[in-house]
Amino acid sequence: MCSRAVVIVLALTRALEVACLKNFPPGFRFGAASAAYQIEGGWNVSDKGESIWDHIVHTRPGFVADLSTGDEACDSYHLWEEDLKILEELGVDFYRFSISWPRLLPNGFSNHISEDGCRYYSALIDGLLARGIAPVVTLYHWDLPQNLQNLGGWTNPLVVEWFADYARVAFFLFADRVNTWITINEPCFVCDGAYRDIIAPGLKDHEIGALLCTKHVLLAHAVAYRIYDEEYKPIYGGEVSITNQEFWLEPKTEADLELTLLAREYAFSRYTYPIFSAEGGWPPTLKAYMARKSEQEGYPRSRLPALTPEEIQMIKGSFDFFALNHYTSRTVRALKPGEQPGHYMFESVEEVGAVLESKEQWASDGSEWLKVNPEGLRHNLNLTRQLYGDVRILITENGCSSADTLNDTGRVSYIRDYLEQVLLSIEDGIKVIGYTAWSLMDNFEWRDGYQTRFGLHAVDFTDPRRTRTAKASAKYYRNVMRSRSLHVDHKIEL
Ligand code: GBH
């Protein structure tokens, strides 16, 4: 009798725990994200300069699967007020969008600031603030001015200055109204993606180019961070970080543990350790591995470029919070002798001799690469704390693509299941401060064009007005934000 009562009490406590667990803590922020090239269109309006994406879609036919371009995209350049409308209806706390560098600085340099570019972003920011939505601004989401690319782009050490000049202009114009800044979106794509011919400028040089790029991206970020920290933070008190994209990587078998640690260092910590670790500099195991490998290959020095003590200091600690984009998971095993490594970043980490695979039980919906494994997010968040301590973490992107329909139940469960892992991570004691759904609306999904749709809202790309329509996931996400909890009915009448 007595023991039954205990069991009941325990069960009730457990139920209460679960109920509590479903509420987001006070102060937790929800948002939605987009990126300039993926939504704006207006690629050559006014004095806007050409970006590396403008260039590649016009000069390399077939680079984009459906032969489309971002020339018009969602036409947010003209229809930004429509974006404000859907953001307001959605009920987000913040909107993460990016500034197109060549729209603000047509030739990439700060000697000429586009009045039109300035007016465009200023109006967007004011419109957000008028609706009580905080702007979260990314300075670089993959659209480098083409003339800077002609000078070597991210492999030219001078890009550090060019980016710093650009950041300075953006801070000068908008820091009075923008309190959260992301310098660079996913440096792993900016460097490895770009030099593995996955995104613009579509070059093949992952052994040298990508590694030079890594160093310069880190320095560019750090210099921009220091400018804000010294000149703007004392006045406005805002925050700056860099957004890193991380797959959760786990060993395929116990024997693959060491390789997994090295693969993580190569793929992800190469961009985070120099900034977020207490020691700074390159991740130690990777640094030793690259030095050894480069020597074996006959190079006089490591292909992973050296960082001077001053550079290490400059980069170390250049953050106010940790920004994470997370979508999916992979298992890691060793490349077999004679086995051809896959071309895509999510198939292999060939530099360290690793193959990335997924588990059968991880389903995918609209994108082959995006295997659904919600627990991966919790593991990833815990790993971040393990590596970098008790840092506050803002999830700056999470979401999935799904079939072209308004009843996107796959996306509803994806968001629900990943948000549940956010709550569990908060229970673990991780300081997750916010969540951003990728994406506000269907848009130009890079190599996939318009065939792959990540939006909470559908966009009719055949209609010149690019009508935006809420999908079931938008309605679901709105309910989550209203109730600040996951206690919501998932079956929504359309
Ligand atoms: C994010 O990157 C990006 O920040 C965002 O812009 C993008 O829309 C979102 O993912 C969804 O993909 O088709 O050959 O270009 C996450 C990493 C980058 C992985 C693009 C898939 C596709 C390879 N994604 N990549 S390709």
Side-chain angles (χ1 to χ4, degrees):
M1 198 55 206
C2 189
S3 68
R4 254 188 83 186
V6 169
V7 170
I8 291 168
V9 168
L10 278 177
L12 274 175
T13 326
R14 179 82 199 113
L16 270 175
E17 262 174 30
V18 172
C20 292
L21 196 80
K22 297 274 179 186
N23 290 318
F24 289 90
F28 190 90
R29 321 289 289 158
F30 290 98
S34 71
Y37 188 72
Q38 295 180 274
I39 65 161
E40 284 178 2
W43 77 280
N44 63 354
V45 296
S46 181
D47 54 351
K48 181 181 169 292
E50 188 188 34
S51 77
I52 52 177
W53 271 95
D54 295 321
H55 188 77
I56 207 162
V57 299
H58 296 146
T59 53
R60 250 181 81 177
F63 191 70
V64 178
D66 60 1
L67 309 180
S68 65
T69 70
D71 289 359
E72 290 167 44
C74 307
D75 201 16
S76 290
Y77 175 76
H78 295 107
L79 302 173
W80 55 278
E81 282 169 297
E82 297 301 311
D83 297 346
L84 291 179
K85 221 181 277 171
I86 57 175
L87 283 160
E88 192 172 25
E89 272 163 31
L90 194 57
V92 288
D93 301 314
F94 64 89
Y95 177 42
R96 175 177 175 235
F97 64 93
S98 80
I99 294 178
S100 155
W101 185 342
R103 190 182 299 288
L104 194 59
L105 305 182
N107 67 7
F109 297 107
S110 61
N111 64 316
H112 171 65
I113 301 169
S114 163
E115 232 173 83
D116 186 64
C118 178
R119 176 203 54 77
Y120 175 68
Y121 294 112
S122 214
L124 176 61
I125 291 166
D126 289 343
L128 288 167
L129 292 174
R131 287 163 179 78
I133 301 169
V136 171
V137 174
T138 307
L139 289 174
Y140 186 73
H141 200 124
W142 306 357
D143 44 0
L144 192 74
Q146 177 62 33
N147 63 319
L148 300 186
Q149 184 58 47
N150 296 344
L151 299 170
W154 290 101
T155 60
N156 185 334
L158 294 175
V159 74
V160 178
E161 287 175 16
W162 304 335
F163 183 75
D165 294 342
Y166 162 50
R168 196 185 286 281
V169 170
F171 295 151
F172 176 78
L173 294 173
F174 309 124
D176 58 337
R177 289 160 287 163
V178 175
N179 263 309
T180 310
W181 295 87
I182 300 295
T183 53
I184 292 161
N185 182 71
E186 300 186 353
C188 64
F189 272 88
V190 173
C191 297
D192 304 301
Y195 291 93
R196 299 171 73 96
D197 198 16
I198 292 172
I199 62 167
L203 302 170
K204 284 189 182 150
D205 187 4
H206 67 270
E207 291 181 350
I208 304 285
L211 298 177
L212 291 176
C213 172
T214 306
K215 173 174 172 172
H216 302 145
V217 148
L218 287 165
L219 282 168
H221 154 77
V223 175
Y225 175 88
R226 304 284 170 210
I227 291 172
Y228 187 91
D229 197 53
E230 281 155 31
E231 299 171 28
Y232 292 90
K233 198 178 204 170
I235 310 172
Y236 301 113
E239 300 195 305
V240 182
S241 195
I242 180 170
T243 280
N244 275 287
Q245 200 261 136
E246 296 178 349
F247 284 18
W248 166 245
L249 298 185
E250 61 185 44
K252 186 164 184 182
T253 68
E254 256 172 56
D256 302 308
L257 181 59
E258 228 172 277
L259 180 64
T260 303
L261 298 180
L262 184 60
R264 282 185 197 148
E265 283 200 359
Y266 174 79
F268 309 123
S269 313
R270 177 155 43 103
Y271 300 99
T272 54
Y273 192 91
I275 298 174
F276 298 94
S277 72
E279 304 76 22
W282 298 121
T285 315
L286 178 70
K287 187 179 167 186
Y289 173 87
M290 291 303 298
R292 210 169 44 241
K293 195 175 176 197
S294 307
E295 194 187 331
Q296 281 163 7
E297 291 163 346
Y299 288 97
R301 63 190 73 84
S302 178
R303 284 192 278 112
L304 187 66
L307 295 171
T308 66
E310 294 74 33
E311 288 169 340
I312 292 175
Q313 281 310 314
M314 166 70 101
I315 298 167
K316 192 176 87 171
S318 58
F319 68 93
D320 295 313
F321 59 95
F322 192 100
L324 175 72
N325 289 0
H326 178 86
Y327 288 89
T328 188
S329 299
R330 291 289 183 277
T331 58
V332 179
R333 67 160 171 85
L335 193 69
K336 293 176 191 143
E339 187 181 358
Q340 273 306 311
H343 167 68
Y344 284 109
M345 288 171 53
F346 34 88
E347 289 169 338
S348 74
V349 186
E350 74 221 52
E351 183 78 82
V352 301
V355 175
L356 305 186
E357 292 170 327
S358 66
K359 289 187 183 169
E360 234 167 80
Q361 67 264 34
W362 299 344
S364 61
D365 195 347
S367 296
E368 252 315 287
W369 65 271
L370 209 167
K371 306 288 178 192
V372 181
N373 175 37
E375 289 83 10
L377 174 56
R378 185 182 181 183
H379 293 312
N380 211 130
L381 291 166
N382 272 276
L383 176 66
T384 306
R385 179 174 60 174
Q386 187 194 316
L387 293 173
Y388 306 128
D390 219 5
V391 57
R392 288 177 307 136
I393 303 174
L394 176 64
I395 296 170
T396 34
E397 279 182 36
N398 175 248
C400 68
S401 65
S402 70
D404 182 15
T405 156
L406 292 180
N407 190 19
D408 56 341
T409 48
R411 180 173 294 106
V412 171
S413 9
Y414 182 98
I415 294 178
R416 181 199 58 213
D417 295 347
Y418 274 75
L419 276 176
E420 191 167 37
Q421 296 299 317
V422 171
L423 285 172
L424 290 166
S425 307
I426 293 172
E427 259 240 316
D428 296 337
I430 316 278
K431 294 198 183 109
V432 190
I433 57 171
Y435 174 90
T436 319
W438 182 272
S439 175
L440 175 63
M441 59 191 158
D442 291 340
N443 57 49
F444 178 79
E445 176 52 29
W446 310 115
R447 293 295 287 272
D448 291 352
Y450 299 99
Q451 287 168 347
T452 298
R453 303 193 165 193
F454 273 85
L456 297 168
H457 296 84
V459 175
D460 183 352
F461 292 103
T462 61
D463 176 355
R465 285 167 305 160
R466 295 290 192 273
T467 315
R468 287 104 160 103
T469 311
K471 300 182 191 177
S473 57
K475 298 173 187 176
Y476 170 73
Y477 191 43
R478 181 173 60 198
N479 286 342
V480 171
M481 290 188 278
R482 276 209 191 132
S483 64
R484 317 311 276 189
S485 81
L486 290 181
H487 286 282
V488 280
D489 185 2
H490 301 145
K491 285 185 219 87
I492 293 155
E493 291 295 313
L494 288 174

